[in-house]
């Protein structure tokens, strides 16, 4: 038919992106509103020109092999790309698209929400009120650390880290520190100070993780990192669960080595119901909803589609990973 063939790894992708694709492409999707099982995925990609995927779909040599040499583009509806073997794609001349920028604000907003939810113990307080624990006013009831005057440490200072820092600043914090592999010119304007990782751990009342998952960041939050943190520290992670040695975090929370943690990301995802993290009062766990605003998800799907269309037409992709 001369139309491009696109495989989409779930049936419930936002319509606005699908509408763009439908004009030029024949779309085949996994039949359910859930992550395509690996075996089914491998069967379905044979002969397609493009794959529209999520962070749950591992794109490795096996997928690329079964897809075949006509495969031109992988487009993920995420800013993170740790699930994609970029080196292998590059080697084969397969373009890779992702969704930076469009989810920065939504993710920064969720990070602030999670930070405050954790430090002010909202889930615990809500449950207590609903189950009869609210008996009278009490001076030490449901207290937690405040942001005003605090030192906040940002681990990762890219688009999302900077957007979080700007929001944090409006709470009149004393200092914003950041640790990043690269020099960030924008830090001056925000008033953030670059420090070594250990110094950030030692000095911060709040440690916020907004760094990508790469070999250098894998499990950078291990036993020794949590031990360097203040006992009063709040740890917030909205990046990838694998930056954390989760057993070390559980140990730190159980033994009050740190004060509390707010996690939008875990290992694995979904987090099994019997995880100790769900039992800890000083831990808030969210089901990976950082970018989940209605508009953001629509825009992400449009960008994912635009990346596919551009690549198929040999045009400049709006957001290509190189
Ligand atoms: C997405 C994310 O919801 O963009 C990312 O990297 O983690 C989230 O915004 C998820 O990746 C969907 O693919």
């Amino acid at each position: 038919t001369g139309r491009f063939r696109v495989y989409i790894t779930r049936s419930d992708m936002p319509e606005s992106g699908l509408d763009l694709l439908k004009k030029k492409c024949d779309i085949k999707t996994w039949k359910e509103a859930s992550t395509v099982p690996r075996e089914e995925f491998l069967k379905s990609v044979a002969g397609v020109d493009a794959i529209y995927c999520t962070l749950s779909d591992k794109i490795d040599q096996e997928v690329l092999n079964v897809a075949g040499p006509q495969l031109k583009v992988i487009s993920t509806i995420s800013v993170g790309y740790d699930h994609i073997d970029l080196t292998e794609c590059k080697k084969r001349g397969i373009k890779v698209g992702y969704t930076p920028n469009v989810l920065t604000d939504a993710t920064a907003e969720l990070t602030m929400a999670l930070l405050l939810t954790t430090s002010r113990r909202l889930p615990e307080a809500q449950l207590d009120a609903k189950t009869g624990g609210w008996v009278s006013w009490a001076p030490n009831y449901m207290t937690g650390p405040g942001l005003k005057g605090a030192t906040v440490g940002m681990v990762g200072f890219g688009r999302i880290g900077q957007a979080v820092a700007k929001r944090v600043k409006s709470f009149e914090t004393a200092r914003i520190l950041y640790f990043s592999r690269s020099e960030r010119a924008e830090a001056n304007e925000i008033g953030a100070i670059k420090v070594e990782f250990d110094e950030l751990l030692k000095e911060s009342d709040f440690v916020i993780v907004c760094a990508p998952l790469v070999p250098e960041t894998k499990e950078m939050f291990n036993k020794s990192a949590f031990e360097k943190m203040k006992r009063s520290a709040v740890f917030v992670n909205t990046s990838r669960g694998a930056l954390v040695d989760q057993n070390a975090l559980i140990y730190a929370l159980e033994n009050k080595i740190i004060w509390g943690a707010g996690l939008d990301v875990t290992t694995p995802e979904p987090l099994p119901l019997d995880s100790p993290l769900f039992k800890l009062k000083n831990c808030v766990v969210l089901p990976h909803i950082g970018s989940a605003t209605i508009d953001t998800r629509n825009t992400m799907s449009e960008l994912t589609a635009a990346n596919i269309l551009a690549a198929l037409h040999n045009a400049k992709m709006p957001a290509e990973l190189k």
Side-chain angles (χ1 to χ4, degrees):
T1 59
R3 284 166 68 83
F4 297 109
R5 296 176 62 193
V6 180
Y7 183 71
I8 306 185
T9 60
R10 43 189 306 143
S11 67
D12 57 350
M13 290 298 186
E15 283 299 325
S16 55
L18 298 184
D19 290 343
L20 292 173
L21 285 175
K22 279 177 189 158
K23 290 176 202 148
K24 303 271 180 196
C25 309
D26 290 331
I27 294 174
K28 188 168 126 194
T29 74
W30 164 235
K31 61 182 185 329
E32 285 167 36
S34 61
T35 301
V36 63
R38 176 78 179 179
E39 218 173 288
E40 181 66 33
F41 186 34
L42 290 174
K43 270 193 257 163
S44 308
V45 293
V48 302
D49 302 297
I51 299 174
Y52 177 144
C53 67
T54 79
L55 88 165
S56 315
D57 310 305
K58 198 165 174 48
I59 307 292
D60 54 11
Q61 295 199 29
E62 193 182 11
V63 170
L64 304 179
N65 284 343
V66 296
Q70 80 300 325
L71 179 66
K72 212 160 180 185
V73 55
I74 306 279
S75 191
T76 183
I77 181 161
S78 63
V79 68
Y81 50 89
D82 44 282
H83 54 302
I84 302 174
D85 186 341
L86 258 191
T87 317
E88 193 58 33
C89 289
K90 202 175 284 174
K91 220 158 82 187
R92 298 175 187 228
I94 298 166
K95 307 241 173 195
V96 179
Y98 70 141
T99 62
N101 303 310
V102 297
L103 47 61
T104 299
D105 293 326
T107 308
E109 287 173 12
L110 189 279
T111 304
M112 293 311 298
L114 180 54
L115 190 157
L116 294 167
T117 296
T118 306
S119 59
R120 302 302 297 271
R121 303 164 64 179
L122 302 191
E124 195 189 339
Q126 169 82 111
L127 183 68
D128 208 53
K130 282 184 177 174
T131 54
W134 180 12
V135 282
S136 71
W137 184 86
N140 302 312
Y141 182 62
M142 291 294 163
T143 54
L147 258 178
K148 180 159 176 169
T151 294
V152 176
M154 305 293 314
V155 175
F157 209 62
R159 291 172 292 252
I160 296 172
Q162 290 170 30
V164 171
K166 285 179 193 160
R167 286 157 175 80
V168 159
K169 206 175 164 187
S170 73
F171 285 81
E172 299 177 38
T173 46
R175 281 188 305 171
I176 300 177
L177 311 177
Y178 79 97
F179 172 71
S180 170
R181 289 172 300 160
S182 32
E183 207 57 55
R184 298 290 185 179
E186 306 90 339
N188 274 340
E189 203 184 312
I190 299 169
I193 307 156
K194 188 166 193 228
V195 293
E196 289 307 317
F197 186 49
D198 282 3
E199 187 181 348
L200 182 143
L201 297 175
K202 268 190 223 125
E203 296 287 321
S204 300
D205 300 302
F206 295 82
V207 174
I208 307 176
V209 192
C210 296
L213 174 59
V214 292
E216 301 95 295
T217 60
K218 191 163 196 282
E219 298 198 354
M220 68 190 294
F221 288 92
N222 54 20
K223 187 164 183 284
S224 108
F226 289 119
E227 277 165 0
K228 284 175 190 138
M229 286 167 63
K230 296 186 181 181
R231 289 207 162 231
S232 57
V234 176
F235 176 76
V236 175
N237 186 8
T238 54
S239 61
R240 284 293 182 265
L243 274 77
V244 177
D245 173 346
Q246 203 160 271
N247 288 329
L249 173 62
I250 291 165
Y251 182 86
L253 289 168
E254 280 173 345
N255 295 285
K256 306 278 152 66
I257 289 166
I258 63 169
W259 188 86
L263 312 172
D264 187 42
V265 289
T266 56
T267 321
E269 292 180 10
L271 187 65
L273 286 181
D274 62 359
S275 168
L277 288 175
F278 280 128
K279 294 190 185 72
L280 286 162
K281 276 192 178 170
N282 54 348
C283 185
V284 177
V285 180
L286 300 179
H288 201 143
I289 54 171
S291 65
T293 73
I294 300 158
D295 284 351
T296 298
R297 286 292 163 81
N298 286 333
T299 318
M300 286 167 74
S301 83
E302 289 155 26
L303 182 51
T304 308
N307 277 330
I308 290 177
L309 290 169
L312 291 177
H313 290 102
N314 302 312
K316 186 174 156 45
M317 292 162 70
E320 181 182 2
L321 262 170
K322 301 234 181 167

